[in-house]
Amino acid sequence: MQCTSTRGAGPVSLAKALAEGLAPDGGLYVIPLDARPAVTLGTTLAETATTLLTPLFQHETLDAQALCHAAFTFDAPLLPIDDDSFLLELFHGPTAAFKDFGARFLAEALSRLGLPPTTILVATSGDTGAAVAAAFHRRPGFRVVILYPDGRVSARQAHQLGAFGDNVRTFKVRGSFDDCQRVVKEAFADKALVAAHGLSSANSISLGRLLPQMAYYAHASLVLQQRGLGPIDVIVPTGNLGNALACLMAKRLGLPIGHVTLATNANRVVPDFFSTGTYAPKPSVATLANAMDVGAPSNLERLRHWWPDEAALRREISADWVDDETIRRTIGTVWRATRTAICPHTACGVAVRDRLRAKGHTKPLLIAATAHPAKFETVVEPLIGQTVEPPDPLAALLQKPAIANPLEPTLAALTAALVRRA
Ligand SMILES: *Cc1c(COP(=O)(O)O)cnc(C)c1O
């Protein structure tokens, strides 16, 4: 598969695009999105993923089947929440959020590329760091350095981030997520530092995370089509647009997916872009759905590349946003109606469904459930009046001791920390 940059560089092989992450011209790698021979439904997610991704990995050194079977070791089940709405549960992986799918696939791909010793450096607002740490934990040839903003992630998220040990080192940064991201960007801009430590990124702009995320939309849409419910309309809770783009890419590759609605929290840059046609990034504001607190969604560059025509964009895709009060109310109403606990991010999607229904949308809907509610128990439990038990992998991590060293938000402090090999 030939990949090009949204800003023109390339073409390069998929393997090279995965190894590089960001294109050398500062753009994001994209692939051509033409409808392909029909993808067939496999008996497992790994099988569907293999039929979906194999054509993309033709003439590549990487074997799609091996990658899919190593990465997709857990399912993405459908849970009906009423007669014609389904949650797509994406939180059955090791860190209980959808990012496990992409992180595990990328880690497997990078391992098989035989890179020189590599340090994966990540700034995280909560979920990415844990998924990346879990995916690279104890992988020979890799170490992981995580920066998270001290006091601004949930207690359980903080514990998860610090609980890996071995080749994973975790730093709590005195500052905001933006400070963490700035220091990481400064590190990647320092050529000598990058060379000295083999610095590499695993953030959501990597094609290696985007491509595998298409698999669960492919699998779910084919299952629903088999039940006579296709093409299915989908709602995706959205921050940096990675998960949503995966759904849109699957649709363009010919899967039975109908209209796609993006649901953001009060960080409404994407819905504002849809209604005004102008992209106006803003500093992020803190919300209950903290993994979606993004004020400058970098993947928007890909959306505009693949949907250059705004009329076509609006025909196929919509966007709406949800405030914290609505998130709270929705968690409560879903619990009372179905006894299903949902996380605050998933609640944004369900709230948007409620609005679509109120406006007369009657077709079945699929809503991506992006994290397990036990990850956000301090928000969810008081609203439903119940404790939410963590799933086994999360419970196991929470049993382990957690270590995070404090770090000042400066390149000098990070450089010193990188040299002190644990
Ligand atoms: C990362 C994340 C999101 C947002 O996903 P994007 O790909 O950035 O749009 C939503 N929910 C949860 C739980 C997440 O961890």
Side-chain angles (χ1 to χ4, degrees):
M1 171 63 53
Q2 297 283 289
C3 306
T4 53
S5 161
T6 46
R7 300 185 190 172
V12 300
S13 70
L14 193 47
K16 190 165 166 62
L18 297 191
E20 283 184 354
L22 195 68
D25 61 358
L28 308 183
Y29 280 119
V30 286
I31 58 167
L33 288 183
D34 323 310
R36 279 156 211 274
V39 178
T40 47
L41 178 61
T43 52
T44 60
L45 177 60
E47 271 180 32
T48 306
T50 301
T51 56
L52 172 72
L53 296 180
T54 296
L56 308 186
F57 282 81
Q58 249 169 23
H59 314 299
E60 294 280 340
T61 48
L62 292 165
D63 173 23
Q65 179 171 21
L67 294 177
C68 291
H69 283 268
F72 296 109
T73 51
F74 45 92
D75 270 335
L78 289 167
L79 179 76
I81 50 169
D82 60 26
D83 287 347
D84 48 15
S85 304
F86 301 85
L87 294 183
L88 175 57
E89 293 187 346
L90 302 177
F91 49 70
H92 295 283
T95 70
F98 81 88
K99 292 185 176 79
D100 283 325
F101 288 105
R104 286 170 61 85
F105 188 91
L106 178 67
E108 197 59 41
L110 294 186
S111 286
R112 285 162 188 261
L113 286 175
L115 307 173
T118 299
T119 297
I120 305 285
L121 178 61
V122 237
T124 183
S125 59
D127 285 343
T128 298
V132 169
F136 285 94
H137 186 216
R138 295 188 179 150
R139 261 181 205 275
F142 291 90
R143 82 172 161 154
V144 180
V145 173
I146 301 173
L147 274 57
Y148 75 86
D150 194 9
R152 304 201 193 188
V153 304
S154 81
R156 275 194 184 159
Q157 281 177 320
H159 194 105
Q160 248 187 324
L161 289 167
F164 288 95
D166 303 316
N167 63 336
V168 177
R169 295 188 58 203
T170 307
F171 294 95
K172 46 184 179 186
V173 171
R174 203 192 308 268
S176 65
F177 171 61
D178 292 338
D179 291 320
C180 298
Q181 215 166 21
R182 174 181 47 79
V183 178
V184 165
K185 276 196 183 144
E186 286 170 11
F188 281 115
D190 183 333
K191 294 275 185 291
L193 195 66
V194 169
H197 298 287
L199 288 190
S200 180
S201 130
N203 67 21
S204 75
I205 52 104
S206 171
L207 264 187
R209 286 181 51 184
L210 218 44
L211 298 178
Q213 288 173 181
M214 295 192 295
Y216 43 78
Y217 292 110
H219 193 76
S221 66
L222 289 168
V223 166
L224 290 170
Q225 187 184 45
Q226 220 172 42
R227 298 188 202 165
L229 300 177
I232 187 78
D233 288 354
V234 186
I235 301 175
V236 187
T238 295
N240 210 14
L241 274 167
N243 200 2
L245 267 176
C247 179
L248 290 163
M249 291 161 72
K251 174 182 158 85
R252 282 276 282 263
L253 292 181
L255 283 139
I257 293 168
H259 194 86
V260 177
T261 305
L262 316 178
T264 73
N265 59 25
N267 293 280
R268 46 187 279 194
V269 170
V270 172
D272 285 352
F273 165 70
F274 272 75
S275 51
T276 64
T278 309
Y279 171 49
K282 296 191 176 64
S284 65
V285 298
T287 76
L288 294 175
N290 68 11
M292 294 167 22
D293 291 347
V294 178
S298 47
N299 270 311
L300 198 73
E301 187 163 329
R302 281 195 174 108
L303 187 73
R304 299 174 86 174
H305 172 89
W306 276 316
W307 278 266
D309 173 16
E310 282 193 18
L313 178 84
R314 292 208 183 87
R315 219 169 23 248
E316 289 176 54
I317 315 166
S318 332
D320 199 353
W321 67 279
V322 173
D323 62 17
D324 274 359
E325 197 35 54
T326 309
I327 291 175
R328 280 199 195 88
R329 193 178 61 240
T330 307
I331 292 172
T333 52
V334 170
W335 171 258
R336 285 188 297 276
T338 68
R339 297 285 134 175
T340 302
I342 56 173
C343 87
H345 313 82
T346 307
C348 294
V350 176
V352 166
R353 174 204 64 163
D354 294 343
R355 272 186 215 154
L356 288 176
R357 291 287 188 239
K359 281 192 254 168
H361 182 287
T362 53
K363 289 199 289 174
L365 278 162
L366 178 67
I367 304 151
T370 53
H372 193 284
K375 264 190 131 163
F376 302 92
E377 85 287 5
T378 52
V379 178
V380 176
E381 288 179 351
L383 294 168
I384 66 172
Q386 303 270 328
T387 55
V388 185
E389 289 307 318
D392 289 345
L394 180 57
L397 266 183
L398 296 175
Q399 291 298 314
K400 300 214 294 178
I403 300 169
N405 293 310
L407 191 78
E408 290 300 320
T410 64
L411 182 59
L414 176 58
T415 303
L418 284 170
V419 173
R420 273 198 314 272
R421 286 185 171 268

